[in-house]
Amino acid sequence: MHSWTDTLRFAFQPVVNLTTGGVAGLEILARPETGDILAEARRDPELDGRLAVLAVRAAAHKETLLPLHVNVFAGTLADLGGLTPLHTAVREAGRLPWEVTIDIGPPYTHVPQQALLEAVSALRAQGFRISADGVGDGDLPLRLLIDMGPDLVKLDASLLARPAAVKAMRTLCEQLGALLSVEGVETELQCAAAVSAGAQLAQGELFAPPARLPAADVYVPPRSPGAVALPRSGPSVLEFVRPAALLPATASAGQVRALLTGAPEVSGVLLVDAHGRPVRSVHRSRFLLSMSGRYGHALYADRPAAKLGDAPRMVGVDATAWEVLDVVAVGDRGRTSDDVAVVDRTGRCVGVVRLADLVRALAESRVEEAAGLNPLTRLPGSDAITGEVDRRIADGRPFALSWLDVDHFKQVNDGAGFAAGDELIRSVGRALQQAASGSTRVGHIGGDDFLVLAEPEWLDPLALSVLDAPWSAGGRPVTLSLATVVCPPGSVTDHRQAAACLAPLKKAAKSLHGASWVLGRAGLPGHEIRRGSGTAPAQAGCAVAEPGLG
C-alpha cells in the first residue's frame, strides 16, 4: 500500500530582496500529486509537523545554501509546542536553526494564543526565525501579531491596492524590528507598489514561479526614474541584507573550501559560535589563495578554518547604510571587499551586506536626489519635504512646517536686476541650511519660496537667525516673511492637510509690515504674530483641502 509520502513533492519559490535583486531565501511548498494534504494538515498537527520535517529534508537533497522558509499552521504550533523533530531534521541536514524561518500561517481563530506564544518563544530560543504569514488576508489579530514579535511579516498582495495599509504595516514593522514582505506579486505594477510602500522583500510569479529545483536567477523589474530617493539619514541596513554562508566556529579549512568551491556566488563564510554569533570571517579570495599555494592544502585542510580568517566586521540591525560604510572605511584597506555581518540585539548573525550593493544603491539615490534639486540653491524641492512630512505623521512625531519668502520679490528683481535677485535667493538658502539643526529639512520650491520642516523646539533659533539678518539686494534693504504651522501627533492626516493649515498663515504673514512671522497650530483657530507690525486677517480653523505648497 502506498504512503501519502510517495506522491508528495516539494517546490521552491524564491523570496526576493527588492533593493539588491538577490534571492534572500527559499520558501518550501508541499505539492502532492493527489489529494489535498494541506487541508488534512490544517486539521492534523502531527501531519503538519511531519510535513515541515520533510520540507527541510527535501531542501537538503537539493544542496541549496540559501535560507529556508518552512510553513507551519498556527494551530500546529499551539498544539505541538517547539517542534523538536524539526530542530532534529535541521541539524541532521547540516543546517543551522537561524538559517530557517518558520512561516506561521492562518487560521488563528480558536487557536490558544498563550500556547502559540509559548511555542514561538521556544522556537526562537532554539535559534529559528519567525515569520507571520498571510497578514491582511487572514485572521491574525493585531495584538497577537505584536506579541509574537516576528522577524518577518508577509502581506498578501491584495493589500497593495490599499497603500495606506501597507505603509502603516511598514511603520509597525519598523517598531517591531521586522522586515516587510509581499506575497503573490504577479505584475510589475504590484512590484512598484510594494517598493513605493516600503516593502523590503517580495515573492510571486513575477520573480519566479515555484519550481522543483531552486531558482538560480529571478526577474526583478528595474526601479522607475520616479522612485522615491533614499532618506538623507541613510536607508536601513536591513534593506541590503543577503543570506550569510555560515559554518560552526570549529569548521575545518577543508569544510570551508568545499562550501566555497561548490557555491561560486558565495563571497565569504562566517564562522559562528553555538548561538549564531560571528567569531571569524573568511574571505573567499584570500582563503582560496592560501589553500592553492604550494603545500597549502596539506598545511591547512584539516586545521581550523578560523586560522585563515579575520575578526568579523559587524553592524547592528538598526544601523544605516552610511554606518556600514564607516565600518569599512576605518578598517584595513585590504579588507574593503569583505562582507559586513549584520547582527541582532543578541549578537546573532541575520545576514551579510556587500559593499557593492551599498555603493550602487547610495549612488542611485544621490542621482535621483540631484535630479530633484533646485539648480539655483541646490536644495531639494517640495516632494522631498512633503515625503518627510508624511513619514513624520506616520511615525506619530510632532513637527513644524514653515513657509518663507522674500517680500515684494518682483520689485527686487525689477529694481536690482535678476542677478542680484538670484544672489539674494542663494544667500537665503545658505542661511536656512546653516541655521538648520537636528532633523530640520530645508527645501526650495521655486522663485523666492522656501519650505522648512523642523522639530517645534528648533523654531525660535531658526526663525531669529534668518529674520534678524540684514538682507539686501543691489544695495536695497529687503525683508522676509515667515509662516509656521505646528502639527502635534494626530492633528493632520497627511502633507496636504498640513499645507491647508499653512495657507492662511502665509496670507496673514504677507499682510504685515517689515520682517514678519506668524505661527498657528493645526486644528486650532487663530494665530500668533511673533514678528511684524500691522493687523493680520483673522484665521479660520484648519480646514482639509489640497492646495499646493508653493
Side-chain angles (χ1 to χ4, degrees):
M1 182 176 179
H2 290 291
S3 165
W4 58 267
T5 58
D6 294 334
T7 58
L8 180 65
R9 300 292 182 267
F10 289 92
F12 302 87
Q13 185 168 44
V15 179
V16 176
N17 185 314
L18 292 173
T19 299
T20 65
V23 178
L26 293 172
E27 181 173 357
I28 314 172
L29 305 167
R31 290 290 186 264
E33 294 181 5
T34 59
D36 188 353
I37 197 169
L38 292 181
E40 296 178 39
R42 189 180 293 112
R43 298 186 296 267
D44 184 349
E46 294 288 348
L47 174 58
D48 193 32
R50 290 201 296 276
L51 282 177
V53 169
L54 290 174
V56 170
R57 291 174 179 169
H61 292 156
K62 302 301 181 183
E63 298 182 347
T64 175
L65 293 174
L66 287 166
L68 306 175
H69 289 245
V70 178
N71 292 289
V72 177
F73 290 111
T76 297
L77 290 183
D79 190 81
L80 298 183
L83 290 179
T84 300
L86 178 62
H87 189 276
T88 302
V90 169
R91 186 175 62 252
E92 291 174 347
R95 303 300 295 263
L96 301 169
W98 41 88
E99 297 177 273
V100 179
T101 298
I102 308 298
D103 284 5
I104 305 175
Y108 289 86
T109 304
H110 307 309
V111 172
Q113 294 191 5
Q114 188 57 40
L116 175 59
L117 292 175
E118 290 174 358
V120 168
S121 179
L123 287 169
R124 188 170 276 124
Q126 294 172 19
F128 291 104
R129 303 189 193 284
I130 303 298
S131 167
D133 202 353
V135 176
D137 193 43
D139 58 346
L140 175 58
L142 185 57
R143 180 184 298 174
L144 180 58
L145 173 64
I146 295 172
D147 290 343
M148 286 170 57
D151 302 286
L152 175 67
V153 172
K154 288 189 173 183
L155 290 185
D156 187 83
S158 62
L159 270 189
L160 292 174
R162 300 167 177 82
V166 182
K167 290 180 180 178
M169 187 56 66
R170 168 63 191 266
T171 300
L172 176 60
C173 285
E174 289 175 352
Q175 296 296 318
L176 295 175
L179 292 175
L180 180 63
S181 180
V182 178
E183 294 185 293
V185 176
E186 298 180 351
T187 68
E188 293 196 9
L189 284 177
Q190 286 182 319
C191 180
V195 171
S196 177
Q200 294 108 334
L201 305 172
Q203 59 190 112
E205 295 281 340
L206 174 67
F207 311 106
R212 294 290 173 86
L213 293 176
D217 297 304
V218 294
Y219 169 71
V220 180
R223 290 198 176 209
S224 63
V228 177
L230 300 172
R232 284 175 176 242
S233 58
S236 167
V237 70
L238 291 176
E239 297 183 26
F240 302 92
V241 169
R242 288 177 175 264
L246 305 176
L247 284 175
T250 56
S252 68
Q255 289 175 293
V256 171
R257 184 176 184 275
L259 189 158
L260 291 175
T261 54
E265 74 281 2
V266 173
S267 55
V269 176
L270 286 175
L271 305 179
V272 296
D273 64 15
H275 301 287
R277 296 182 293 242
V279 294
R280 299 295 281 176
S281 173
V282 179
H283 184 266
R284 179 186 189 91
S285 297
R286 293 197 299 274
F287 173 84
L288 293 179
L289 185 62
S290 297
M291 290 290 287
S292 62
R294 191 176 185 184
Y295 309 123
H297 189 272
L299 284 173
Y300 298 117
D302 296 324
R303 300 184 67 185
K307 293 185 177 295
L308 293 175
D310 300 285
R313 290 177 163 178
M314 295 184 288
V315 295
V317 291
D318 54 354
T320 67
W322 295 108
E323 290 173 298
V324 178
L325 294 183
D326 289 341
V327 169
V328 174
V330 300
D332 182 353
R333 290 186 179 182
R335 296 186 59 193
T336 53
S337 62
D338 286 20
D339 294 340
V340 177
V342 181
V343 297
D344 62 18
R345 291 170 180 81
T346 66
R348 187 178 64 179
C349 179
V350 301
V352 295
V353 172
R354 293 181 181 176
L355 180 62
D357 290 338
L358 292 185
V359 172
R360 185 183 307 112
L362 293 175
E364 289 173 354
S365 77
R366 286 299 175 255
V367 170
E368 292 172 358
E369 183 181 284
L373 297 181
N374 186 286
L376 184 62
T377 59
R378 308 304 296 167
L379 289 172
S382 61
D383 286 348
I385 304 299
T386 56
E388 180 63 20
V389 167
D390 286 338
R391 281 189 286 273
R392 296 193 189 192
I393 292 172
D395 292 342
R397 297 166 55 192
F399 63 90
L401 182 64
S402 299
W403 162 90
L404 179 141
D405 81 342
V406 178
D407 294 328
H408 311 297
F409 184 64
K410 185 179 185 303
Q411 296 177 20
V412 173
N413 263 349
D414 291 344
F418 70 87
D422 286 352
E423 181 54 37
L424 174 63
I425 295 302
R426 282 191 287 266
S427 298
V428 171
R430 286 193 297 268
L432 287 171
Q433 285 182 294
Q434 291 168 2
S437 302
S439 58
T440 301
R441 299 285 181 267
V442 179
H444 182 192
I445 59 177
D448 61 323
D449 292 326
F450 293 86
L451 281 177
V452 182
L453 177 63
E455 305 289 344
E457 58 267 25
W458 290 107
L459 279 176
D460 284 327
L462 186 145
L464 294 176
S465 66
V466 177
L467 296 180
D468 285 348
W471 297 104
S472 64
R476 299 167 179 262
V478 172
T479 58
L480 307 180
S481 293
L482 178 66
T484 300
V485 59
V486 176
C487 300
S491 60
V492 291
T493 57
D494 59 18
H495 71 268
R496 296 178 180 84
Q497 194 171 354
C501 296
L502 187 58
L505 297 172
K506 171 182 176 180
K507 182 178 179 180
K510 295 300 291 182
S511 71
L512 299 172
H513 302 298
S516 62
W517 181 20
V518 170
L519 184 143
R521 299 184 183 277
L524 298 178
H527 55 256
E528 175 186 353
I529 299 176
R530 292 198 165 189
R531 181 71 62 89
S533 60
T535 304
Q539 178 202 351
C542 177
V544 178
E546 298 188 7
L549 280 174

